[in-house]
Amino acid sequence: MTVVVWIADDTWQSCVDAARAHAGSDFLLLHVSDHDVPGAAHGAFAGLFGRSHPDRDPGTRLDHLAADHASQILEAAASRLGLPCTTSARVGRVEHEVVAAAQGASLLVVCRDADHPGPRSLGPATRFVVDHAPCPVLLVWP
């Protein structure tokens, strides 16, 4: 059994705690960095300053910061899980990357975006993942 655990910045602890109940599974801890912010910085820099100074491109710096952040949060999640696992840091449209990573999984663990019930408890990315997941989804309260 493969359990994919979506490691989102604000709610990852709840997902990891819920996933721990499936000990004996193969765990994949997944963090996805949205490509929009570095992409916008790349575009703004190219539009304003041209391509003559690629060493000053703020998008590259944002890419590195996102990679460092993903590495740190995945390391913390693996430590909290306390079970053998693999980690994956992806960049792209968050909801699409999560659904793609869940292909062939037995379970996808995701967390609600808010502490209150109702339609706003799932943000757009989480709603997309819940609606399009190719496997059963465990929806966890933060």
Side-chain angles (χ1 to χ4, degrees):
M1 178 174 177
T2 301
V3 176
V4 176
V5 184
W6 181 8
I7 304 300
D9 290 346
D10 296 334
T11 58
W12 65 268
Q13 296 94 338
S14 298
C15 285
V16 169
D17 293 346
R20 200 177 304 117
H22 299 277
S25 301
D26 294 324
F27 291 100
L28 171 64
L29 305 180
L30 172 70
H31 182 273
V32 182
S33 298
D34 196 334
H35 69 310
D36 286 348
V37 174
H42 284 302
F45 179 79
L48 292 173
F49 300 108
R51 300 188 187 275
S52 60
H53 302 286
D55 55 323
R56 293 190 213 161
D57 184 349
T60 303
R61 178 72 177 136
L62 289 173
D63 286 334
H64 292 297
L65 288 171
D68 289 345
H69 172 70
S71 176
Q72 290 172 0
I73 199 168
L74 285 169
E75 184 178 313
S79 177
R80 185 174 183 119
L81 181 63
L83 297 167
C85 63
T86 57
T87 61
S88 176
R90 294 184 177 204
V91 176
R93 288 196 57 188
V94 175
E95 61 273 22
H96 291 219
E97 293 296 327
V98 173
V99 169
Q103 293 292 332
S106 303
L107 180 67
L108 173 61
V109 181
V110 303
C111 196
R112 300 170 72 103
D113 297 308
D115 287 334
H116 56 0
R120 294 189 180 179
S121 66
L122 296 181
T126 306
R127 169 55 59 198
F128 183 92
V129 168
V130 168
D131 289 345
H132 295 89
C135 62
V137 175
L138 173 59
L139 186 59
V140 178
W141 283 84

